[in-house]
Amino acid sequence: MVDYMADYLEGIEGRQVFPDVCPGYLRSLIPTTAPQEPETFEAIIEDVEKIIMPGVTHWHSPYFFAYFPTASSYPAMLADMLCGAIGCIGFSWAASPACTELETVMMDWLGKMLQLPEAFLAGEAGEGGGVIQGTASEATLVALLAARTKVTRRLQAASPELTQAAIMEKLVAYASDQAHSSVEKAGLIGGVRLKAIPSDGKFAMRASALQEALERDKAAGLIPFFVVATLGTTSCCSFDNLLEVGPICHEEGLWLHVDAAYAGSAFICPEFRHLLNGVEFADSFNFNPHKWLLVNFDCSAMWVKKRTDLTGAFRLDPVYLRHSHQDSGLITDYRHWQLPLGRRFRSLKMWFVFRMYGVKGLQAYIRKHVQLAHAFEALVRQDARFEICAEVTLGLVCFRLKGSNKLNEALLESINSAKKIHLVPCSLRDRFVLRFAICSRTVELAHVQLAWEHIREMAAAVLRAQEEEKADKAEGPAVGRSHHDIVPLTVLRDQT
């Protein structure tokens, strides 16, 4: 298996980045029932290549520029193998002491790499601390549920006659209109209404818009309680203004959760740390090392200033989970910090990666990706047919052809149908925009340049087809010319 993995990663550049299959392709390739007798490992590996690989989108190909990066490195893979071999379910300290204690220390290591305020670190006697969640979506939900419990208890302590239902129906959470859809999902699961705050010209949430919404809702008898600020939005990597939003949340007694799922990794570089200024106002902070810090999925790092805010919301102690050290004050049981009970030994991946790359190696990796993004931005700006649609801060470039949404939709369809590179779009102020994210650990400037040449060729074909369509409409039926003379877009794409 190690040999197969090494061969796959070494040869990934030669594989088509996006699969050429239709929905349901796999069912006809495998039996309808499990085998009665054991099969050989060799037979399974053969079928991996014949059945699985044709349907794989190769996220680690140097021609994958979609979504955001998903981390991959050999230290993390080795740690995952060891995690699988140990096979513990680390819901409590007693379930596997090393699993709990290494996570606490690794989250402190990472917090110091980010220069987080001391209040977020566990240390030996701190009130805060970190936990590895599965995803940023999970972290947002956990924060919202903890905030909901905290405000409910506070209000009931002041007014015992208030029921939980009466409070719940008035609770309101807030996030930018650029926030990830997982924030809205957290509101749905948490049973509270979520309101989108209009972002400014740079797609950022500002204090004035938030304050206006708070005043309006308080006047209507509602109870604001939770705000999500996004650092590095999914659509265009914009940054909510923490230094403005933070003080408002502090003054109003609102739980501030900071979601930096993608961008958070960059904050280990001193030149990008200013983007995190204002985190001192937050109650919780989260980012995904499994996106851009070479720690394989799943590993979402979440910190809280007061860990009792989480444990107080989720603590249940059935007899079968108790142990003699749980009240010692020296350790934590992570089952009280999360939604699931079970958890893998995920901190091993952090330990291996941090030690085998070092902070300087991780910083160099981030900086290389940012440099490649700016190189792509420069190429786009040199072509007058295109425009840049949002400020390029880290490893994402948002761009489009100057023209209609329909034109850009055709361009993206053409690019992805050719399957040489893979991109996904976003919508910015109702404009259809293409996203170019630097993703692969092995991507180099040559890959970026080849991708840009491919995009330019596809753009030329799409623009040519558009001009011919316009000419055909302007001329109308003409002698010696029929609609059959117009070259279909699909033919142009195939010829290109």
Side-chain angles (χ1 to χ4, degrees):
M1 177 56 77
V2 170
D3 285 342
Y4 182 84
M5 290 163 60
D7 290 343
Y8 167 72
L9 291 171
E10 287 178 3
I12 197 169
E13 185 172 345
R15 293 181 184 261
Q16 183 174 283
V17 63
F18 192 76
D20 195 14
V21 298
C22 296
Y25 90 95
L26 188 142
R27 182 170 288 274
S28 64
L29 300 179
I30 59 176
T32 56
T33 59
Q36 295 296 314
E37 300 295 332
E39 297 185 26
T40 65
F41 178 78
E42 289 74 19
I44 297 170
I45 286 293
E46 284 182 19
D47 282 347
V48 166
E49 196 59 45
K50 288 191 298 186
I51 298 171
I52 303 302
M53 285 300 170
V56 170
T57 299
H58 298 287
W59 280 64
H60 301 292
S61 166
Y63 296 113
F64 183 91
F65 302 103
Y67 309 107
F68 274 136
T70 180
S72 176
S73 67
Y74 83 88
M77 290 183 225
L78 296 176
D80 252 349
M81 292 171 69
L82 180 56
C83 171
I86 293 172
C88 67
I89 310 297
F91 49 77
S92 70
W93 180 87
S96 193
C99 181
T100 292
E101 296 199 14
L102 184 64
E103 182 163 336
T104 303
V105 175
M106 286 302 99
M107 291 300 294
D108 275 0
W109 273 21
L110 185 53
K112 290 174 182 176
M113 287 161 62
L114 297 167
Q115 299 178 50
L116 283 182
E118 193 73 23
F120 285 103
L121 306 182
E124 294 186 9
E127 294 184 355
V131 57
I132 302 174
Q133 304 285 5
T135 64
S137 305
E138 195 176 330
T140 300
L141 175 58
V142 166
L144 182 142
L145 295 176
R148 190 187 72 180
T149 299
K150 187 175 182 179
V151 70
T152 299
R153 289 175 178 171
R154 187 180 73 216
L155 292 172
Q156 287 182 322
S159 304
E161 72 281 1
L162 279 177
T163 64
Q164 184 173 347
I167 295 170
M168 282 278 292
E169 68 180 10
K170 293 184 177 182
L171 292 179
V172 189
Y174 305 85
S176 161
D177 58 12
Q178 299 299 311
H180 193 267
S181 60
S182 60
V183 180
E184 184 178 358
K185 182 179 283 189
L188 290 173
I189 297 172
V192 300
R193 71 189 82 187
L194 176 76
K195 296 197 174 182
I197 305 299
S199 54
D200 69 5
K202 290 188 174 182
F203 307 102
M205 178 167 63
R206 303 295 299 272
S208 56
L210 176 61
Q211 189 73 64
E212 182 180 337
L214 294 175
E215 296 304 326
R216 185 170 58 247
D217 288 343
K218 287 190 294 183
L222 300 176
I223 306 172
F225 81 107
F226 184 72
V227 175
V228 177
T230 306
L231 301 182
T233 58
T234 302
S235 293
C236 64
C237 198
S238 58
F239 292 79
D240 289 341
N241 196 314
L242 266 188
L243 288 171
E244 288 186 2
V245 170
I248 291 177
C249 294
H250 180 71
E251 292 164 12
E252 298 282 350
L254 309 178
W255 182 300
L256 175 59
H257 176 69
V258 176
D259 174 13
Y262 162 68
S265 296
F267 303 154
I268 69 169
C269 300
E271 65 268 32
F272 299 123
R273 175 56 180 79
H274 70 277
L275 296 168
L276 189 56
N277 289 348
V279 72
E280 59 270 18
F281 295 105
D283 296 275
S284 52
F285 167 72
N286 172 259
F287 86 99
N288 291 341
H290 67 230
K291 273 191 170 67
W292 204 14
L293 208 60
L294 295 170
V295 181
N296 291 17
F297 187 88
D298 59 341
C299 182
S300 189
M302 178 186 186
W303 289 265
V304 288
K305 271 184 180 169
K306 295 187 107 178
R307 55 179 175 265
T308 52
D309 287 338
L310 291 191
T311 58
F314 303 122
R315 188 180 189 96
L316 291 171
D317 268 324
V319 172
Y320 50 81
L321 295 179
R322 295 177 189 169
H323 58 88
S324 57
H325 296 285
Q326 68 181 38
D327 297 319
S328 67
L330 298 175
I331 53 92
T332 187
D333 284 348
Y334 277 120
R335 71 178 187 270
H336 302 311
W337 295 56
Q338 61 178 26
L339 300 178
L341 173 64
R343 57 206 329 277
R344 300 171 68 245
F345 201 162
R346 292 178 291 205
S347 56
L348 279 174
K349 294 184 288 191
M350 298 172 74
W351 196 42
F352 275 45
V353 168
F354 295 166
R355 294 182 67 186
M356 296 184 77
Y357 276 90
V359 175
K360 290 184 178 179
L362 295 172
Q363 289 171 337
Y365 175 69
I366 296 291
R367 287 168 178 150
K368 177 183 175 182
H369 274 200
V370 175
Q371 289 166 359
L372 290 175
H374 284 297
F376 182 80
E377 177 193 12
L379 291 170
V380 175
R381 291 190 184 279
Q382 290 168 16
D383 192 322
R385 300 172 300 174
F386 289 88
E387 60 183 333
I388 296 294
C389 304
E391 183 179 355
V392 179
T393 305
L394 299 177
L396 175 68
V397 182
C398 291
F399 71 106
R400 71 197 301 272
L401 277 171
K402 294 174 181 176
S404 67
N405 284 347
K406 184 179 178 182
L407 178 67
N408 282 280
E409 288 168 8
L411 173 59
L412 182 65
E413 195 275 335
S414 179
I415 291 168
N416 284 339
S417 294
K419 296 182 171 63
K420 289 185 177 180
I421 65 173
H422 188 45
L423 305 179
V424 294
C426 69
S427 178
L428 295 176
R429 304 282 188 259
D430 297 323
R431 293 202 305 168
F432 188 88
V433 173
L434 282 65
R435 298 169 74 263
F436 189 94
I438 306 297
C439 292
S440 172
R441 177 176 53 83
T442 58
V443 67
E444 299 289 347
L445 180 59
H447 300 117
V448 172
Q449 292 170 332
L450 284 170
W452 173 238
E453 286 305 311
H454 180 62
I455 291 168
R456 292 181 73 242
E457 290 170 5
M458 295 292 101
V462 169
L463 289 168
R464 194 159 56 243
Q466 182 192 56
E467 289 304 314
E468 290 176 352
E469 183 180 351
K470 285 181 181 178
D472 187 51
K473 287 181 179 178
E475 292 175 12
V479 177
R481 178 180 175 89
S482 76
H483 69 277
H484 298 294
D485 296 321
I486 301 298
V487 182
L489 175 59
T490 51
V491 174
L492 283 172
R493 184 178 64 238
D494 293 341
Q495 289 174 347
T496 306

mmCIF file with all atom_site columns, all heavy atoms in Angstrom, residues 79-81 83-84 88-90 99 103 132 296-298 342-347 349:
data_model
loop_
_atom_site.group_PDB
_atom_site.id
_atom_site.type_symbol
_atom_site.label_atom_id
_atom_site.label_alt_id
_atom_site.label_comp_id
_atom_site.label_asym_id
_atom_site.label_entity_id
_atom_site.label_seq_id
_atom_site.pdbx_PDB_ins_code
_atom_site.Cartn_x
_atom_site.Cartn_y
_atom_site.Cartn_z
_atom_site.occupancy
_atom_site.B_iso_or_equiv
_atom_site.pdbx_formal_charge
_atom_site.auth_seq_id
_atom_site.auth_comp_id
_atom_site.auth_asym_id
_atom_site.auth_atom_id
_atom_site.pdbx_PDB_model_num
ATOM 1   N N   . ALA A 1 79  ? 1.695   9.447  10.180 1.00 0.00 ? 79  ALA A N   1
ATOM 2   C CA  . ALA A 1 79  ? 1.028   9.571  11.476 1.00 0.00 ? 79  ALA A CA  1
ATOM 3   C C   . ALA A 1 79  ? -0.374  8.975  11.429 1.00 0.00 ? 79  ALA A C   1
ATOM 4   O O   . ALA A 1 79  ? -0.824  8.343  12.395 1.00 0.00 ? 79  ALA A O   1
ATOM 5   C CB  . ALA A 1 79  ? 0.967   11.042 11.900 1.00 0.00 ? 79  ALA A CB  1
ATOM 6   N N   . ASP A 1 80  ? -1.069  9.151  10.299 1.00 0.00 ? 80  ASP A N   1
ATOM 7   C CA  . ASP A 1 80  ? -2.399  8.564  10.152 1.00 0.00 ? 80  ASP A CA  1
ATOM 8   C C   . ASP A 1 80  ? -2.339  7.040  10.191 1.00 0.00 ? 80  ASP A C   1
ATOM 9   O O   . ASP A 1 80  ? -3.224  6.380  10.742 1.00 0.00 ? 80  ASP A O   1
ATOM 10  C CB  . ASP A 1 80  ? -3.032  9.028  8.837  1.00 0.00 ? 80  ASP A CB  1
ATOM 11  C CG  . ASP A 1 80  ? -4.164  10.019 9.064  1.00 0.00 ? 80  ASP A CG  1
ATOM 12  O OD1 . ASP A 1 80  ? -4.589  10.184 10.223 1.00 0.00 ? 80  ASP A OD1 1
ATOM 13  O OD2 . ASP A 1 80  ? -4.630  10.624 8.081  1.00 0.00 ? 80  ASP A OD2 1
ATOM 14  N N   . MET A 1 81  ? -1.286  6.497  9.589  1.00 0.00 ? 81  MET A N   1
ATOM 15  C CA  . MET A 1 81  ? -1.120  5.038  9.624  1.00 0.00 ? 81  MET A CA  1
ATOM 16  C C   . MET A 1 81  ? -0.911  4.557  11.053 1.00 0.00 ? 81  MET A C   1
ATOM 17  O O   . MET A 1 81  ? -1.495  3.558  11.490 1.00 0.00 ? 81  MET A O   1
ATOM 18  C CB  . MET A 1 81  ? 0.057   4.624  8.739  1.00 0.00 ? 81  MET A CB  1
ATOM 19  C CG  . MET A 1 81  ? -0.184  4.847  7.255  1.00 0.00 ? 81  MET A CG  1
ATOM 20  S SD  . MET A 1 81  ? 1.316   4.607  6.259  1.00 0.00 ? 81  MET A SD  1
ATOM 21  C CE  . MET A 1 81  ? 1.535   2.829  6.423  1.00 0.00 ? 81  MET A CE  1
ATOM 22  N N   . CYS A 1 83  ? -1.863  6.148  13.735 1.00 0.00 ? 83  CYS A N   1
ATOM 23  C CA  . CYS A 1 83  ? -3.145  6.362  14.410 1.00 0.00 ? 83  CYS A CA  1
ATOM 24  C C   . CYS A 1 83  ? -4.073  5.171  14.186 1.00 0.00 ? 83  CYS A C   1
ATOM 25  O O   . CYS A 1 83  ? -4.717  4.675  15.109 1.00 0.00 ? 83  CYS A O   1
ATOM 26  C CB  . CYS A 1 83  ? -3.786  7.644  13.894 1.00 0.00 ? 83  CYS A CB  1
ATOM 27  S SG  . CYS A 1 83  ? -5.477  7.919  14.444 1.00 0.00 ? 83  CYS A SG  1
ATOM 28  N N   . GLY A 1 84  ? -4.123  4.694  12.926 1.00 0.00 ? 84  GLY A N   1
ATOM 29  C CA  . GLY A 1 84  ? -4.958  3.538  12.626 1.00 0.00 ? 84  GLY A CA  1
ATOM 30  C C   . GLY A 1 84  ? -4.477  2.277  13.322 1.00 0.00 ? 84  GLY A C   1
ATOM 31  O O   . GLY A 1 84  ? -5.284  1.435  13.744 1.00 0.00 ? 84  GLY A O   1
ATOM 32  N N   . CYS A 1 88  ? -7.044  3.838  19.092 1.00 0.00 ? 88  CYS A N   1
ATOM 33  C CA  . CYS A 1 88  ? -7.770  4.208  20.303 1.00 0.00 ? 88  CYS A CA  1
ATOM 34  C C   . CYS A 1 88  ? -8.936  5.128  19.964 1.00 0.00 ? 88  CYS A C   1
ATOM 35  O O   . CYS A 1 88  ? -8.951  5.767  18.916 1.00 0.00 ? 88  CYS A O   1
ATOM 36  C CB  . CYS A 1 88  ? -6.838  4.895  21.300 1.00 0.00 ? 88  CYS A CB  1
ATOM 37  S SG  . CYS A 1 88  ? -6.238  6.513  20.766 1.00 0.00 ? 88  CYS A SG  1
ATOM 38  N N   . ILE A 1 89  ? -9.901  5.176  20.851 1.00 0.00 ? 89  ILE A N   1
ATOM 39  C CA  . ILE A 1 89  ? -11.041 6.101  20.723 1.00 0.00 ? 89  ILE A CA  1
ATOM 40  C C   . ILE A 1 89  ? -10.921 7.068  21.897 1.00 0.00 ? 89  ILE A C   1
ATOM 41  O O   . ILE A 1 89  ? -11.371 6.785  23.002 1.00 0.00 ? 89  ILE A O   1
ATOM 42  C CB  . ILE A 1 89  ? -12.389 5.355  20.775 1.00 0.00 ? 89  ILE A CB  1
ATOM 43  C CG1 . ILE A 1 89  ? -12.386 4.182  19.791 1.00 0.00 ? 89  ILE A CG1 1
ATOM 44  C CG2 . ILE A 1 89  ? -13.530 6.319  20.488 1.00 0.00 ? 89  ILE A CG2 1
ATOM 45  C CD1 . ILE A 1 89  ? -12.253 4.580  18.340 1.00 0.00 ? 89  ILE A CD1 1
ATOM 46  N N   . GLY A 1 90  ? -10.311 8.234  21.648 1.00 0.00 ? 90  GLY A N   1
ATOM 47  C CA  . GLY A 1 90  ? -9.846  9.078  22.752 1.00 0.00 ? 90  GLY A CA  1
ATOM 48  C C   . GLY A 1 90  ? -10.866 10.016 23.341 1.00 0.00 ? 90  GLY A C   1
ATOM 49  O O   . GLY A 1 90  ? -10.625 11.230 23.389 1.00 0.00 ? 90  GLY A O   1
ATOM 50  N N   . CYS A 1 99  ? -3.257  10.287 23.971 1.00 0.00 ? 99  CYS A N   1
ATOM 51  C CA  . CYS A 1 99  ? -4.128  10.896 22.961 1.00 0.00 ? 99  CYS A CA  1
ATOM 52  C C   . CYS A 1 99  ? -4.643  12.251 23.447 1.00 0.00 ? 99  CYS A C   1
ATOM 53  O O   . CYS A 1 99  ? -4.648  13.230 22.701 1.00 0.00 ? 99  CYS A O   1
ATOM 54  C CB  . CYS A 1 99  ? -5.293  9.956  22.665 1.00 0.00 ? 99  CYS A CB  1
ATOM 55  S SG  . CYS A 1 99  ? -6.444  10.564 21.427 1.00 0.00 ? 99  CYS A SG  1
ATOM 56  N N   . GLU A 1 103 ? -2.750  16.179 22.379 1.00 0.00 ? 103 GLU A N   1
ATOM 57  C CA  . GLU A 1 103 ? -3.617  17.161 21.726 1.00 0.00 ? 103 GLU A CA  1
ATOM 58  C C   . GLU A 1 103 ? -3.560  18.510 22.439 1.00 0.00 ? 103 GLU A C   1
ATOM 59  O O   . GLU A 1 103 ? -3.472  19.562 21.793 1.00 0.00 ? 103 GLU A O   1
ATOM 60  C CB  . GLU A 1 103 ? -5.060  16.646 21.687 1.00 0.00 ? 103 GLU A CB  1
ATOM 61  C CG  . GLU A 1 103 ? -6.013  17.578 20.985 1.00 0.00 ? 103 GLU A CG  1
ATOM 62  C CD  . GLU A 1 103 ? -7.317  16.912 20.578 1.00 0.00 ? 103 GLU A CD  1
ATOM 63  O OE1 . GLU A 1 103 ? -7.327  15.680 20.413 1.00 0.00 ? 103 GLU A OE1 1
ATOM 64  O OE2 . GLU A 1 103 ? -8.330  17.623 20.430 1.00 0.00 ? 103 GLU A OE2 1
ATOM 65  N N   . ILE A 1 132 ? -9.198  19.677 18.752 1.00 0.00 ? 132 ILE A N   1
ATOM 66  C CA  . ILE A 1 132 ? -9.266  19.352 17.336 1.00 0.00 ? 132 ILE A CA  1
ATOM 67  C C   . ILE A 1 132 ? -10.683 18.904 17.013 1.00 0.00 ? 132 ILE A C   1
ATOM 68  O O   . ILE A 1 132 ? -11.138 17.870 17.501 1.00 0.00 ? 132 ILE A O   1
ATOM 69  C CB  . ILE A 1 132 ? -8.263  18.245 16.959 1.00 0.00 ? 132 ILE A CB  1
ATOM 70  C CG1 . ILE A 1 132 ? -6.828  18.664 17.316 1.00 0.00 ? 132 ILE A CG1 1
ATOM 71  C CG2 . ILE A 1 132 ? -8.363  17.932 15.468 1.00 0.00 ? 132 ILE A CG2 1
ATOM 72  C CD1 . ILE A 1 132 ? -5.791  17.568 17.098 1.00 0.00 ? 132 ILE A CD1 1
ATOM 73  N N   . ASN A 1 296 ? -3.076  16.255 7.110  1.00 0.00 ? 296 ASN A N   1
ATOM 74  C CA  . ASN A 1 296 ? -4.169  15.651 6.353  1.00 0.00 ? 296 ASN A CA  1
ATOM 75  C C   . ASN A 1 296 ? -5.513  15.776 7.075  1.00 0.00 ? 296 ASN A C   1
ATOM 76  O O   . ASN A 1 296 ? -5.584  15.793 8.305  1.00 0.00 ? 296 ASN A O   1
ATOM 77  C CB  . ASN A 1 296 ? -3.886  14.166 6.112  1.00 0.00 ? 296 ASN A CB  1
ATOM 78  C CG  . ASN A 1 296 ? -2.734  13.940 5.149  1.00 0.00 ? 296 ASN A CG  1
ATOM 79  O OD1 . ASN A 1 296 ? -1.937  14.836 4.893  1.00 0.00 ? 296 ASN A OD1 1
ATOM 80  N ND2 . ASN A 1 296 ? -2.648  12.747 4.618  1.00 0.00 ? 296 ASN A ND2 1
ATOM 81  N N   . PHE A 1 297 ? -6.574  15.816 6.271  1.00 0.00 ? 297 PHE A N   1
ATOM 82  C CA  . PHE A 1 297 ? -7.941  15.833 6.797  1.00 0.00 ? 297 PHE A CA  1
ATOM 83  C C   . PHE A 1 297 ? -8.161  14.568 7.650  1.00 0.00 ? 297 PHE A C   1
ATOM 84  O O   . PHE A 1 297 ? -7.708  13.496 7.293  1.00 0.00 ? 297 PHE A O   1
ATOM 85  C CB  . PHE A 1 297 ? -8.916  15.828 5.617  1.00 0.00 ? 297 PHE A CB  1
ATOM 86  C CG  . PHE A 1 297 ? -10.352 16.019 6.004  1.00 0.00 ? 297 PHE A CG  1
ATOM 87  C CD1 . PHE A 1 297 ? -10.889 17.278 6.123  1.00 0.00 ? 297 PHE A CD1 1
ATOM 88  C CD2 . PHE A 1 297 ? -11.165 14.927 6.243  1.00 0.00 ? 297 PHE A CD2 1
ATOM 89  C CE1 . PHE A 1 297 ? -12.220 17.469 6.473  1.00 0.00 ? 297 PHE A CE1 1
ATOM 90  C CE2 . PHE A 1 297 ? -12.488 15.100 6.595  1.00 0.00 ? 297 PHE A CE2 1
ATOM 91  C CZ  . PHE A 1 297 ? -13.015 16.362 6.711  1.00 0.00 ? 297 PHE A CZ  1
ATOM 92  N N   . ASP A 1 298 ? -8.866  14.648 8.814  1.00 0.00 ? 298 ASP A N   1
ATOM 93  C CA  . ASP A 1 298 ? -9.516  15.835 9.317  1.00 0.00 ? 298 ASP A CA  1
ATOM 94  C C   . ASP A 1 298 ? -8.759  16.390 10.526 1.00 0.00 ? 298 ASP A C   1
ATOM 95  O O   . ASP A 1 298 ? -8.334  15.657 11.394 1.00 0.00 ? 298 ASP A O   1
ATOM 96  C CB  . ASP A 1 298 ? -10.976 15.543 9.686  1.00 0.00 ? 298 ASP A CB  1
ATOM 97  C CG  . ASP A 1 298 ? -11.102 14.437 10.742 1.00 0.00 ? 298 ASP A CG  1
ATOM 98  O OD1 . ASP A 1 298 ? -10.150 13.648 10.929 1.00 0.00 ? 298 ASP A OD1 1
ATOM 99  O OD2 . ASP A 1 298 ? -12.154 14.338 11.388 1.00 0.00 ? 298 ASP A OD2 1
ATOM 100 N N   . GLY A 1 342 ? -16.713 9.671  20.286 1.00 0.00 ? 342 GLY A N   1
ATOM 101 C CA  . GLY A 1 342 ? -15.428 9.125  19.866 1.00 0.00 ? 342 GLY A CA  1
ATOM 102 C C   . GLY A 1 342 ? -14.586 10.129 19.100 1.00 0.00 ? 342 GLY A C   1
ATOM 103 O O   . GLY A 1 342 ? -15.091 11.085 18.517 1.00 0.00 ? 342 GLY A O   1
ATOM 104 N N   . ARG A 1 343 ? -13.284 9.892  19.128 1.00 0.00 ? 343 ARG A N   1
ATOM 105 C CA  . ARG A 1 343 ? -12.347 10.760 18.392 1.00 0.00 ? 343 ARG A CA  1
ATOM 106 C C   . ARG A 1 343 ? -11.062 9.979  18.135 1.00 0.00 ? 343 ARG A C   1
ATOM 107 O O   . ARG A 1 343 ? -10.645 9.139  18.926 1.00 0.00 ? 343 ARG A O   1
ATOM 108 C CB  . ARG A 1 343 ? -12.070 12.047 19.167 1.00 0.00 ? 343 ARG A CB  1
ATOM 109 C CG  . ARG A 1 343 ? -11.536 11.855 20.564 1.00 0.00 ? 343 ARG A CG  1
ATOM 110 C CD  . ARG A 1 343 ? -11.860 13.020 21.498 1.00 0.00 ? 343 ARG A CD  1
ATOM 111 N NE  . ARG A 1 343 ? -11.948 14.301 20.862 1.00 0.00 ? 343 ARG A NE  1
ATOM 112 C CZ  . ARG A 1 343 ? -10.900 15.078 20.591 1.00 0.00 ? 343 ARG A CZ  1
ATOM 113 N NH1 . ARG A 1 343 ? -9.689  14.663 20.906 1.00 0.00 ? 343 ARG A NH1 1
ATOM 114 N NH2 . ARG A 1 343 ? -11.060 16.251 20.027 1.00 0.00 ? 343 ARG A NH2 1
ATOM 115 N N   . ARG A 1 344 ? -10.439 10.270 16.991 1.00 0.00 ? 344 ARG A N   1
ATOM 116 C CA  . ARG A 1 344 ? -9.197  9.609  16.614 1.00 0.00 ? 344 ARG A CA  1
ATOM 117 C C   . ARG A 1 344 ? -8.006  10.329 17.244 1.00 0.00 ? 344 ARG A C   1
ATOM 118 O O   . ARG A 1 344 ? -8.127  11.430 17.751 1.00 0.00 ? 344 ARG A O   1
ATOM 119 C CB  . ARG A 1 344 ? -9.057  9.590  15.086 1.00 0.00 ? 344 ARG A CB  1
ATOM 120 C CG  . ARG A 1 344 ? -10.173 8.858  14.391 1.00 0.00 ? 344 ARG A CG  1
ATOM 121 C CD  . ARG A 1 344 ? -10.140 9.042  12.881 1.00 0.00 ? 344 ARG A CD  1
ATOM 122 N NE  . ARG A 1 344 ? -8.984  8.392  12.288 1.00 0.00 ? 344 ARG A NE  1
ATOM 123 C CZ  . ARG A 1 344 ? -7.987  9.016  11.681 1.00 0.00 ? 344 ARG A CZ  1
ATOM 124 N NH1 . ARG A 1 344 ? -7.994  10.339 11.586 1.00 0.00 ? 344 ARG A NH1 1
ATOM 125 N NH2 . ARG A 1 344 ? -6.983  8.353  11.172 1.00 0.00 ? 344 ARG A NH2 1
ATOM 126 N N   . PHE A 1 345 ? -6.847  9.688  17.156 1.00 0.00 ? 345 PHE A N   1
ATOM 127 C CA  . PHE A 1 345 ? -5.606  10.235 17.701 1.00 0.00 ? 345 PHE A CA  1
ATOM 128 C C   . PHE A 1 345 ? -5.042  11.232 16.680 1.00 0.00 ? 345 PHE A C   1
ATOM 129 O O   . PHE A 1 345 ? -3.959  11.055 16.118 1.00 0.00 ? 345 PHE A O   1
ATOM 130 C CB  . PHE A 1 345 ? -4.623  9.087  17.946 1.00 0.00 ? 345 PHE A CB  1
ATOM 131 C CG  . PHE A 1 345 ? -3.519  9.397  18.936 1.00 0.00 ? 345 PHE A CG  1
ATOM 132 C CD1 . PHE A 1 345 ? -2.801  8.360  19.521 1.00 0.00 ? 345 PHE A CD1 1
ATOM 133 C CD2 . PHE A 1 345 ? -3.182  10.697 19.284 1.00 0.00 ? 345 PHE A CD2 1
ATOM 134 C CE1 . PHE A 1 345 ? -1.775  8.612  20.423 1.00 0.00 ? 345 PHE A CE1 1
ATOM 135 C CE2 . PHE A 1 345 ? -2.159  10.969 20.187 1.00 0.00 ? 345 PHE A CE2 1
ATOM 136 C CZ  . PHE A 1 345 ? -1.460  9.919  20.747 1.00 0.00 ? 345 PHE A CZ  1
ATOM 137 N N   . ARG A 1 346 ? -5.784  12.328 16.445 1.00 0.00 ? 346 ARG A N   1
ATOM 138 C CA  . ARG A 1 346 ? -5.443  13.251 15.362 1.00 0.00 ? 346 ARG A CA  1
ATOM 139 C C   . ARG A 1 346 ? -4.222  14.106 15.664 1.00 0.00 ? 346 ARG A C   1
ATOM 140 O O   . ARG A 1 346 ? -3.565  14.613 14.744 1.00 0.00 ? 346 ARG A O   1
ATOM 141 C CB  . ARG A 1 346 ? -6.646  14.141 15.044 1.00 0.00 ? 346 ARG A CB  1
ATOM 142 C CG  . ARG A 1 346 ? -7.803  13.380 14.422 1.00 0.00 ? 346 ARG A CG  1
ATOM 143 C CD  . ARG A 1 346 ? -9.016  14.242 14.161 1.00 0.00 ? 346 ARG A CD  1
ATOM 144 N NE  . ARG A 1 346 ? -9.668  14.664 15.382 1.00 0.00 ? 346 ARG A NE  1
ATOM 145 C CZ  . ARG A 1 346 ? -10.952 15.000 15.467 1.00 0.00 ? 346 ARG A CZ  1
ATOM 146 N NH1 . ARG A 1 346 ? -11.729 14.955 14.394 1.00 0.00 ? 346 ARG A NH1 1
ATOM 147 N NH2 . ARG A 1 346 ? -11.482 15.398 16.599 1.00 0.00 ? 346 ARG A NH2 1
ATOM 148 N N   . SER A 1 347 ? -3.912  14.306 16.926 1.00 0.00 ? 347 SER A N   1
ATOM 149 C CA  . SER A 1 347 ? -2.766  15.167 17.253 1.00 0.00 ? 347 SER A CA  1
ATOM 150 C C   . SER A 1 347 ? -1.440  14.561 16.810 1.00 0.00 ? 347 SER A C   1
ATOM 151 O O   . SER A 1 347 ? -0.440  15.277 16.680 1.00 0.00 ? 347 SER A O   1
ATOM 152 C CB  . SER A 1 347 ? -2.733  15.453 18.753 1.00 0.00 ? 347 SER A CB  1
ATOM 153 O OG  . SER A 1 347 ? -2.707  14.251 19.493 1.00 0.00 ? 347 SER A OG  1
ATOM 154 N N   . LYS A 1 349 ? -0.784  13.609 13.865 1.00 0.00 ? 349 LYS A N   1
ATOM 155 C CA  . LYS A 1 349 ? -0.480  14.238 12.570 1.00 0.00 ? 349 LYS A CA  1
ATOM 156 C C   . LYS A 1 349 ? 0.182   15.594 12.774 1.00 0.00 ? 349 LYS A C   1
ATOM 157 O O   . LYS A 1 349 ? 1.125   15.957 12.064 1.00 0.00 ? 349 LYS A O   1
ATOM 158 C CB  . LYS A 1 349 ? -1.768  14.405 11.757 1.00 0.00 ? 349 LYS A CB  1
ATOM 159 C CG  . LYS A 1 349 ? -2.417  13.111 11.340 1.00 0.00 ? 349 LYS A CG  1
ATOM 160 C CD  . LYS A 1 349 ? -3.632  13.343 10.464 1.00 0.00 ? 349 LYS A CD  1
ATOM 161 C CE  . LYS A 1 349 ? -4.800  13.894 11.228 1.00 0.00 ? 349 LYS A CE  1
ATOM 162 N NZ  . LYS A 1 349 ? -6.052  13.869 10.435 1.00 0.00 ? 349 LYS A NZ  1
#
